[in-house]
Amino acid sequence: MSNTKDFLKLHFIVLIWGFTAILGLLISINSVEIVFYRTLMASVTLWVMLKLRKRNLNIGKAAILKVTGTGLIIAAHWILFFAAARVSTASVCLAGAATCSLWTSFIEPLFNRRKVKGFEVGLGLIVILGLYVIFQFEFNHALGLFMGIMAAMLAAVFSVINGKFSKEHNQFVITFYEMAGACIGSLLFFPLYKYFFLQGEELQLIPQGMDWFYLIILSLICTVYAFSASVELMRRISAFMVNLTINLEPVYGILLAVIVFGDKEKMEPGFYIGTGIILLAVLLYPLLNKIFKRKPLEVDNLR
């Protein structure tokens, strides 16, 4: 049975996730290096935790390859996410990330071979309207917004995949292998990253000063703690309420970014109008989805 403490804890977790884009800006090393350290520290922490709990990590070679491979998608998602904040602002990055739920509404039917729902198409058009409004006023941040949207699409992909994995394996084991896969993926990307993107510059493999502190927060609190706490809350809070609250991540993130970075994060009014339109569509999705799922039952009751 859920209580007020559970809901406050859920909002605190979403607040933590909203802080990740800000951490990406506070850390001095580049996006790929951030992802490498984040996933390395998270996977090591999860391995120790699972060993202490005597959890069996042997889920079969085929399953390990599939889950670890999904980690490559996660690595690409985080690299794009942090890069989006770097080339624009944390607010623009989070505005793009706000499209994740709607990407899921289109990607999930493809994976599960079902028809796309009409109201999902309508919400997708509302998101396009919101993006159009943002582009009208913040065209100089177009690259960052595009990267944030692509990061959201990848997040939708691995979320749908994880929905299938979670039915077969322990979620902490899944996360361990995915973090390990993401770490390996970012490591394998280093040579291409150095050659094509750094243009002869050296990789930033040694974090400086406060970087270590921010990386610890990012990997242990924003990744390991937030994930495990959200799973624990799912025992008492419905999935609908959890997903509805998670949709507030961009709102919390943008507010935190303005508090931390001040004038640097302030945009034209059109940006906030466009972001508000996107968030409206995102928040309407779970509500409309629940209403349309209930309709057949209400018809049956009338009979």
Side-chain angles (χ1 to χ4, degrees), residues 259-291:
I259 293 171
V260 174
F261 298 113
D263 291 340
K264 183 182 176 182
E265 288 292 329
K266 290 183 179 178
M267 302 291 174
E268 295 291 332
F271 169 82
Y272 298 104
I273 294 172
T275 301
I277 292 172
I278 293 173
L279 290 174
L280 174 64
V282 170
L283 292 171
L284 280 175
Y285 172 73
L287 179 62
L288 291 175
N289 190 46
K290 191 172 184 180
I291 291 172

Side-chain angles (χ1 to χ4, degrees), residues 210-224:
M210 290 294 291
D211 286 348
W212 286 110
F213 175 71
Y214 295 137
L215 284 167
I216 289 172
I217 294 176
L218 183 63
S219 58
L220 302 188
I221 297 179
C222 298
T223 307
V224 176

Side-chain angles (χ1 to χ4, degrees), residues 139-174:
F139 191 75
N140 56 318
H141 292 304
L143 178 60
L145 184 61
F146 174 76
M147 294 174 76
I149 293 170
M150 290 299 99
M153 182 193 70
L154 291 176
V157 170
F158 72 72
S159 295
V160 173
I161 294 174
N162 278 349
K164 294 187 176 182
F165 287 155
S166 63
K167 297 175 182 178
E168 302 172 1
H169 311 291
N170 176 270
Q171 293 187 10
F172 292 101
V173 175
I174 292 171

Side-chain angles (χ1 to χ4, degrees), residues 187-244:
L187 189 62
L188 293 175
F189 184 60
F190 276 161
L192 294 174
Y193 170 62
K194 181 179 180 181
Y195 184 80
F196 290 103
F197 298 96
L198 293 183
Q199 298 178 346
E201 296 181 14
E202 293 299 318
L203 293 166
Q204 297 177 320
L205 291 176
I206 303 177
Q208 303 295 321
M210 290 294 291
D211 286 348
W212 286 110
F213 175 71
Y214 295 137
L215 284 167
I216 289 172
I217 294 176
L218 183 63
S219 58
L220 302 188
I221 297 179
C222 298
T223 307
V224 176
Y225 165 74
F227 173 81
S228 59
S230 65
V231 172
E232 194 271 335
L233 285 175
M234 287 283 284
R235 298 173 183 172
R236 298 183 298 279
I237 301 178
S238 70
F240 170 79
M241 182 56 68
V242 171
N243 289 331
L244 182 63

